[in-house]
Amino acid sequence: MSAASRSRSRVRTTLLSAGAAAAALTLSACSSGGTSGGGGDTNFIMGADGISTAEQGDRGTAPDLSGKTVDGGQLDVADYKGKVVVLNMWGSWCAPCRAEAPNLEAVYKDLKAKDVQFVGVNTRDTSVQNARAFEKDMGITFPSLYDPTGKLMLRFSKGTLNPQAVPSTLVIDRDGKIAARSLAALSESKLRKMINPVLAEK
């Protein structure tokens, strides 16, 4: 084998390995569960229901979450400071996301008049048309940021209640701090269980 052939073979092997790793990450990300933590001193508690919470004094600040929405507008989560924000990471390719979508919409409709704002983060969808079709099919009326490369998810600091899977749902308190997290698809009752304590805070 010539040096040029060996070099091409190494490049092809490297590319295939990188592609396999990316595919494995994508496949493992869409699950009905996930891992807790994120490195460092976390200061949060995971309940038996898979919901992790942080006490008011131990909460990390949510990162900048702004950009273009699935419907072509602009959105900045910081504009909702003073409200409780429910942040849901989803993809149209994700079966658990499809299962939980009606629950998210039902709770959103029920709580939006009580200073609760839902925001989706559509991630790893290669086409915004797929994301729009998902929202239409599922009857989703709250806005979603369009994040095809997953860069918004990477803005969360390690050691905080950061999203680590798709779906993930976070509850952000009125001060813009992360109060609760689930790394699994949620029923209406579990979603309310995450939101209600934060909503009750003064």
Side-chain angles (χ1 to χ4, degrees), residues 164-184:
Q164 299 174 4
V166 176
S168 287
T169 300
L170 308 178
V171 177
I172 300 171
D173 68 19
R174 291 179 180 88
D175 296 321
K177 296 183 181 292
I178 307 164
R181 174 190 69 187
S182 171
L183 298 175

Side-chain angles (χ1 to χ4, degrees), residues 1-58:
M1 186 183 281
S2 71
S5 293
R6 278 195 303 275
S7 176
R8 279 194 300 274
S9 179
R10 272 196 304 273
V11 167
R12 191 175 317 122
T13 302
T14 302
L15 289 173
L16 287 172
S17 297
L25 176 64
T26 299
L27 289 172
S28 67
C30 184
S31 67
S32 60
T35 57
S36 65
D41 181 14
T42 56
N43 289 325
F44 61 81
I45 302 157
M46 180 183 279
D49 53 11
I51 296 169
S52 299
T53 58
E55 295 297 321
Q56 275 185 283
D58 293 329

Side-chain angles (χ1 to χ4, degrees), residues 86 88 100-109 118 142 169 191:
V86 178
N88 177 255
E100 76 174 352
N103 304 330
L104 293 163
E105 180 64 20
V107 177
Y108 168 63
K109 282 181 176 170
F118 279 51
F142 54 85
T169 300
L191 183 55

Side-chain angles (χ1 to χ4, degrees), residues 93-156:
W93 43 268
C94 167
C97 300
R98 190 166 291 277
E100 76 174 352
N103 304 330
L104 293 163
E105 180 64 20
V107 177
Y108 168 63
K109 282 181 176 170
D110 187 43
L111 296 179
K112 66 182 178 180
K114 298 179 181 176
D115 276 344
V116 178
Q117 177 62 51
F118 279 51
V119 176
V121 177
N122 170 258
T123 189
R124 300 191 193 122
D125 259 319
T126 54
S127 161
V128 75
Q129 284 78 19
N130 292 343
R132 287 178 185 152
F134 177 95
E135 287 187 335
K136 185 177 179 189
D137 291 347
M138 296 289 108
I140 301 297
T141 59
F142 54 85
S144 285
L145 289 161
Y146 181 56
D147 183 31
T149 61
K151 68 179 182 181
L152 293 178
M153 287 180 71
L154 295 174
R155 291 183 180 171
F156 288 83

Side-chain angles (χ1 to χ4, degrees), residues 79-98:
D79 291 344
Y80 298 122
K81 200 164 184 181
K83 291 186 174 192
V84 172
V85 176
V86 178
L87 194 67
N88 177 255
M89 311 294 180
W90 64 276
S92 68
W93 43 268
C94 167
C97 300
R98 190 166 291 277

